[in-house]
């Protein structure tokens, strides 16, 4: 159970920060934390969840808990790398499908890999067994992200609980939307190459609106 709790805490830490960075106002049919309580509180709550995730594991005080914590922090670092890639790709017209898959593997595959192996690690499994479970979880994460990207464009908000088309409006790149961006970026055969588009300024990203509601003490 501690392993599952720790992974879920990291997952929610990433969602709180992701919603703020993307300016998303809805998740799971509810207003996002930054919309209700403001950006600063959303950042702090996310940071607290990440710290608590490590605390949940380290409180076990076992060698296996130390191994599990190392895998969780490694997965979190990959998740952050993937988020940085995701943001940087918004300002590029040309992103290869290989780059998209690498980003998706970092953002989603790494945490699913950890979720698939952390229970075995806490149960005393050797590294070979844990690594095999991680590989399974990594590819499961890629499959999940592919479905999630499709739902983010064509899904029913009533069913998914989040806004559609926001990823395309923000020029998000993914392996699902890659053909669309590639066609838009490559000029027709025989035509003069168009000049590179000026990257969208960072200030043009959706700016979270600070809510007038105060955080309860």
């Amino acid at each position: 159970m501690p392993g599952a709790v720790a992974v879920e805490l990291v997952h929610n830490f990433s969602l709180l920060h992701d919603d703020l960075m993307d300016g998303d106002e809805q998740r799971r049919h509810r207003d996002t934390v930054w919309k209700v309580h403001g950006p600063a509180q959303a950042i702090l709550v996310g940071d607290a969840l990440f710290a608590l995730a490590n605390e949940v594991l380290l409180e076990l005080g076992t060698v296996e808990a130390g191994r599990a914590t190392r895998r969780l922090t490694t997965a979190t670092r990959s998740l952050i790398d993937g988020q940085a890639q995701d943001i940087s790709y918004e300002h590029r017209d040309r992103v290869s499908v290989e780059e998209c898959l690498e980003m998706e593997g970092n953002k989603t595959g790494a945490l699913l890999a950890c979720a698939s192996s952390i229970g075995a690690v806490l149960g005393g499994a050797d590294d070979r067994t844990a690594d095999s479970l991680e590989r399974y979880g990594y590819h499961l994460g890629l499959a999940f992200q592919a479905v999630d990207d499709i739902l983010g464009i064509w899904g029913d908000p009533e069913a998914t609980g989040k806004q559609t088309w926001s990823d395309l409006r923000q020029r998000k790149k993914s392996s699902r939307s890659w053909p669309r961006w590639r066609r838009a970026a490559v000029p027709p055969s025989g035509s003069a190459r168009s000049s590179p588009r000026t990257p969208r300024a960072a200030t043009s990203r959706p700016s979270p609106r600070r809510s007038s509601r105060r955080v309860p003490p």
Side-chain angles (χ1 to χ4, degrees):
M1 182 63 74
V5 171
V7 170
E8 187 59 21
L9 287 169
V10 168
H11 180 216
N12 281 279
F13 138 71
S14 71
L15 295 182
L16 261 66
H17 285 194
D18 186 65
D19 288 338
L20 174 58
M21 293 176 194
D22 291 345
D24 288 336
E25 299 182 351
Q26 289 281 320
R27 182 174 291 277
R28 299 170 183 167
H29 305 285
R30 301 175 65 180
D31 288 344
T32 50
V33 173
W34 74 260
K35 185 182 179 186
V36 176
H37 300 296
Q41 292 291 355
I43 293 171
L44 290 173
V45 172
D47 292 347
L49 291 177
F50 174 59
L52 184 58
N54 289 278
E55 186 178 333
V56 165
L57 292 177
L58 292 174
E59 280 183 343
L60 296 175
T62 64
V63 173
E64 290 78 16
R67 292 172 57 212
T69 304
R70 177 62 180 269
R71 286 180 181 260
L72 182 65
T73 54
T74 299
T76 304
R77 178 164 48 82
S78 294
L79 186 156
I80 294 170
D81 286 344
Q83 181 70 0
Q85 290 172 307
D86 189 18
I87 293 173
S88 70
Y89 292 170
E90 294 177 28
H91 308 293
R92 290 173 49 186
D93 284 334
R94 293 171 176 81
V95 178
S96 70
V97 67
E98 290 79 14
E99 288 176 306
C100 287
L101 288 172
E102 179 187 10
M103 177 265 291
E104 292 166 6
N106 285 332
K107 275 194 67 173
T108 308
L111 192 59
L112 266 291
C114 183
S116 299
S117 63
I118 196 168
V121 172
L122 289 172
D126 58 28
D127 286 338
R128 181 179 179 182
T129 300
D131 290 344
S132 296
L133 290 168
E134 276 201 349
R135 286 192 293 272
Y136 158 77
Y138 178 85
H139 291 288
L140 182 65
L142 288 179
F144 170 85
Q145 189 61 57
V147 173
D148 190 64
D149 288 338
I150 292 172
L151 292 176
I153 300 173
W154 295 286
D156 179 3
E158 292 296 322
T160 63
K162 59 183 180 180
Q163 299 160 306
T164 55
W165 295 101
S166 61
D167 284 355
L168 289 182
R169 283 194 295 268
Q170 296 177 50
R171 296 170 53 82
K172 293 283 188 181
K173 309 301 191 298
S174 71
S175 58
R176 302 305 98 190
S177 64
W178 177 80
R180 179 186 298 271
W181 289 112
R182 184 175 183 274
R183 286 195 299 270
V186 178
S189 177
S191 65
R193 181 177 295 274
S194 59
S195 58
R197 292 166 55 184
T198 303
R200 186 180 59 167
T203 54
S204 67
R205 291 172 57 79
S207 300
R209 299 189 298 274
R210 184 178 295 276
S211 172
S212 60
R213 294 177 59 179
R214 298 181 61 85
V215 180

